[in-house]
Amino acid sequence: MTLELNESVFMAEPGQFSYDVAFSRNIGWVTEAEQARLKNCRVAVGGLGGVGGAHVITLARLGIGAFTIADLDTFDWPNLNRQAGAFASTIGQTKLDITAQTLADINPDVKLHLMPKGISPENIDEFLAGADLYMDSLDIFALDIRRRVFARCRELGIPAVTAAPMGMGTAFLAFRPDSMSFEDYFCLDGFAFEDQILKFIVGVSPSMQQRHYLVDDRSVNLFSKKVPSTSIGIELAAGVACANAIKLILKRGDVAVAPRGLHFDAYRNKLIKTWRPFGNRNPLQLFMFWYIRRLLSRIRLRDK
C-alpha cells in the first residue's frame, strides 16, 4: 500500500510563499502539530563553518522558524571542499550574511537574529535568549567559549547537541540539563591547550574510527591548528545532529546523551554506540588520550 500526500489542499498562488506548502513533505515523518512546533521554535547555532552551515540549512529545510546565528568569519578558498555557503562567488563575503540570505531563500518568513561579532562571554545570554536548543558548531579550537556556552545552556535548561565530522563519518554527543555535564564529561581543567584539544577530540570521538584510514598523518597538526575534513563528514554530521535536534525539540524518540554517544563511519561501514562512564576519566579514554598523544608527538618529532 502506498500513501500519497495530497498537496493540493495546501497550494498557494504561483510565486507566493506558503510555509505549509514549502514544508508539506515533512508531514508523515512529523505530524502537522509537530511541524507547527518546529515553526515556532528557535535554534541557536554557534559558528557557520563546515558543520554550522550544513546544520542550519538542514534545520531550515525541516521548517525551524527562527534562528540565532553567530559568526565573524568570511569565506576563503580552503572552505570550498566542505562549507555550505562557500563558492567562488562568495569568497571574501561574510559567512553570516551568505547564510542569512540562504535561510531567507528557503523560508522567507524565517526570523533571524544575527550576531556578526561572534559569541563572547559578554553576549552569551543574548545568543541563547529564547533558544529551544543549542547546536554547537564552533571551531574545534574555540574551547574556552564553547565551555562557557555549554555551561550556560545547562543553567538555562537548554539542551545542546554537538556532532563532529571525523574523516568520512561523524561522532555525536548530546547534553541535556539532567544528563552528565560538558565539564564532567570532557575533564579539561589543568591541562595545556593542546592537550585540551586532544581531550575534546577523544571525548567527542571515543572510538576514533577515523584513525584507521588516515593516509597522510602530516595533515593533522594540533599545534598549528590544522586538521583535515571532508564534505562527507560534514553532511553526515548534519544528518545525525539535526535528527537528534528534532527529537529533543519534539520530545520524542531516543537520544543518546552523555556519557553515551554515537559514531557512524561511512568509510568503514560501522556504527558504534559508545558509553564512557566518568567521561574522559574512564580508563578507556585515558588510554586513548595517551595513545593519540604519543602518536602525534612522534609525528611532530619526525617532521622536525
Side-chain angles (χ1 to χ4, degrees), residues 105-116:
D105 274 348
I106 294 169
N107 177 3
D109 293 338
V110 70
K111 298 178 177 65
L112 298 176
H113 180 52
L114 308 182
M115 300 182 65

Side-chain angles (χ1 to χ4, degrees), residues 35-286:
Q35 190 68 61
R37 165 68 180 139
L38 298 180
K39 180 181 181 181
N40 292 298
C41 78
R42 176 177 293 274
V43 174
V45 181
L48 296 172
V51 291
H55 287 351
V56 75
I57 289 172
T58 301
L59 289 171
R61 294 194 186 280
L62 286 165
I64 297 294
F67 295 94
T68 299
I69 51 179
D71 197 283
L72 43 69
D73 200 6
T74 58
F75 285 113
D76 197 1
W77 296 108
N79 302 149
L80 289 175
N81 82 314
R82 69 199 184 283
Q83 297 193 11
F87 301 94
S89 60
T90 62
I91 298 302
Q93 298 185 51
T94 67
K95 296 178 181 181
L96 193 68
D97 288 345
I98 296 300
T99 302
Q101 292 171 21
T102 302
L103 297 180
D105 274 348
I106 294 169
N107 177 3
D109 293 338
V110 70
K111 298 178 177 65
L112 298 176
H113 180 52
L114 308 182
M115 300 182 65
K117 295 183 179 179
I119 311 172
S120 67
E122 293 74 30
N123 67 16
I124 288 177
D125 281 358
E126 176 190 350
F127 173 68
L128 294 174
D132 297 279
L133 181 104
Y134 168 58
M135 184 71 75
D136 177 41
S137 51
L138 292 167
D139 186 275
I140 190 173
F141 299 101
L143 272 183
D144 181 63
I145 194 64
R146 174 178 275 111
R147 295 174 70 179
R148 291 172 182 265
V149 174
F150 271 92
R152 191 61 177 141
C153 282
R154 189 172 182 86
E155 292 170 355
L156 296 172
I158 300 171
V161 168
T162 189
M166 296 291 182
M168 300 183 202
T170 184
F172 167 82
L173 283 174
F175 294 87
R176 286 193 314 234
D178 60 345
S179 75
M180 191 177 198
S181 72
F182 182 96
E183 291 297 321
D184 287 341
Y185 181 81
F186 285 102
C187 311
L188 302 176
D189 284 339
F191 289 88
F193 178 74
E194 290 81 6
D195 284 346
Q196 288 187 13
I197 297 297
L198 183 54
K199 277 188 165 290
F200 179 69
I201 293 172
V202 171
V204 170
S205 174
S207 64
M208 294 293 286
Q209 294 186 64
Q210 66 278 9
R211 75 185 190 277
H212 296 289
Y213 55 92
L214 180 68
V215 296
D216 185 356
D217 54 27
R218 293 172 300 176
S219 65
V220 180
N221 191 329
L222 300 183
F223 304 101
S224 63
K225 298 185 178 181
K226 179 184 176 184
V227 291
S229 188
T230 70
S231 60
I232 297 168
I234 296 293
E235 298 303 327
L236 287 171
V240 171
C242 294
N244 283 278
I246 294 302
K247 290 192 286 182
L248 286 165
I249 291 169
L250 298 179
K251 295 181 171 58
R252 70 171 172 92
D254 180 45
V255 178
V257 296
R260 299 183 185 275
L262 301 171
H263 192 154
F264 172 69
D265 194 284
Y267 187 89
R268 304 192 74 218
N269 298 320
K270 284 192 174 183
L271 169 65
I272 295 179
K273 297 181 179 180
T274 57
W275 180 47
R276 295 295 188 269
F278 311 112
N280 275 340
R281 293 188 181 93
N282 186 285
L284 290 174
Q285 292 298 94
L286 293 172

